[in-house]
Amino acid sequence: FESSRTGDIMEDRFKKYINNNFIGAHRDNPEQFIPSLDQLQCEQQLAMLGDYTKLKFKIDIKKFGQEIESYDNDWVNYLPRDGKDNSRQGLMLWGLEGDSCNDSLSLPEARQRAGRKVMEVDFKYPTQLYKDLTSIHDLCDYFAPLGRTFLVQANAGAYFPPHRDHPYLTRDCFRIVAFLENTHNDVFEWEQNGKIMTINEGNVFYVDTTKVHRTHAWHNGSIHVIMNIPKTWENVMKLMSVLAV
């Protein structure tokens, strides 16, 4: 194959198969995807937990509902797409310094707003909303300081298509998901690596979101929390200490 300084490292006939250009990114910044020993150790231990595993935490749904009610008018659209009807909203719990609960939730939006390449671990400042939601403090404070952590609200018909999040060994965070209002299996579905997760409201799971996953809601107001936990050995050991089984 011919290569050039501009990044064309393969014949044109192969380019139609490229979804994410890890080849070019690796060439431009090799260290971006080469893991350290610490990163490898964390990933090996997390891999022992499988695609997902339940944790001992249980969220008080009634208390959460009472606390979130005053923010009913603050939800902002999450990753809207022109021409696509997909009713998903979010609220920021741990964001960039100075963030409010309705500042940019997604990494692309936050990077555009910040004017730099912020990472998950940079979202380490609790918002006022987080301070008000005492119902989730035991869970979140156990791992604090957190990375980008936010509420997702999906209304009837809303979905996230199959995707992977940060599928490389040098990812800076792993993820925990807490399922809150209207998230039991009759009204909400999370498919993880081809399997439908069994969910009850208030359940908390470690989820390997580097694996293919998707969600779908059949009821308005299906709310869950996405927590990005900085990937340190200490946090992996904290996770191992609160497995339900």
Side-chain angles (χ1 to χ4, degrees):
F1 297 160
E2 295 182 358
S3 64
S4 73
R5 295 181 181 275
T6 61
D8 292 330
I9 60 171
M10 63 188 71
E11 296 179 25
D12 286 342
R13 63 191 173 111
F14 297 127
K15 291 182 179 179
K16 64 182 178 182
Y17 300 108
I18 301 300
N19 188 24
N20 294 292
N21 189 10
F22 283 96
I23 303 169
H26 173 70
R27 186 213 56 240
D28 293 339
N29 181 14
E31 294 182 358
Q32 182 177 357
F33 300 117
I34 299 177
S36 66
L37 180 58
D38 286 344
Q39 289 171 326
L40 283 174
Q41 289 174 331
C42 288
E43 291 293 344
Q44 286 179 318
Q45 185 59 65
L46 291 171
M48 299 294 290
L49 302 181
D51 294 338
Y52 58 90
T53 191
K54 189 177 176 182
L55 307 185
K56 279 194 170 183
F57 293 97
K58 180 78 172 180
I59 306 300
D60 185 332
I61 297 300
K62 183 178 180 180
K63 183 178 180 182
F64 171 79
Q66 294 169 341
E67 292 174 337
I68 197 63
E69 188 174 5
S70 61
Y71 286 86
D72 280 350
N73 296 322
D74 290 299
W75 293 90
V76 294
N77 289 333
Y78 183 63
L79 289 173
R81 296 289 188 268
D82 291 339
K84 290 189 176 182
D85 184 16
N86 196 357
S87 183
R88 308 174 307 196
Q89 292 84 39
L91 289 172
M92 185 65 78
L93 296 173
W94 286 67
L96 300 174
E97 188 172 13
D99 274 357
S100 67
C101 66
N102 45 26
D103 281 318
S104 302
L105 299 174
S106 71
L107 275 179
E109 291 171 324
R111 287 169 176 172
Q112 184 176 17
R113 179 166 53 89
R116 59 190 176 91
K117 188 178 180 180
V118 294
M119 307 299 287
E120 301 284 20
V121 292
D122 294 323
F123 295 73
K124 56 187 176 182
Y125 300 94
T127 64
Q128 184 59 49
L129 170 61
Y130 174 73
K131 296 172 184 177
D132 292 341
L133 293 182
T134 62
S135 52
I136 62 172
H137 281 187
D138 279 358
L139 168 62
C140 294
D141 289 350
Y142 178 74
F143 291 100
L146 306 179
R148 186 172 63 103
T149 296
F150 52 99
L151 294 170
V152 177
Q153 177 174 251
N155 293 317
Y159 64 93
F160 283 87
H163 67 285
R164 301 174 186 263
D165 297 304
H166 309 304
Y168 37 84
L169 293 171
T170 54
R171 59 177 174 158
D172 59 351
C173 291
F174 61 88
R175 286 190 170 178
I176 288 174
V177 182
F179 295 96
L180 304 173
E181 294 181 329
N182 300 312
T183 51
H184 53 85
N185 284 108
D186 290 340
V187 297
F188 181 80
E189 185 174 84
W190 183 300
E191 182 181 295
Q192 177 74 16
N193 205 19
K195 302 174 183 177
I196 303 299
M197 293 177 60
T198 300
I199 299 168
N200 289 303
E201 293 178 344
N203 285 169
V204 180
F205 289 83
Y206 160 74
V207 182
D208 184 357
T209 55
T210 68
K211 305 288 181 61
V212 176
H213 57 287
R214 66 164 186 86
T215 67
H216 195 103
W218 286 275
H219 191 286
N220 288 337
S222 292
I223 301 176
H224 61 277
V225 178
I226 301 293
M227 298 171 58
N228 278 285
I229 312 299
K231 192 182 68 179
T232 64
W233 188 249
E234 179 180 1
N235 279 339
V236 172
M237 291 296 99
K238 283 185 176 181
L239 176 65
M240 297 293 294
S241 299
V242 293
L243 302 180
V245 179

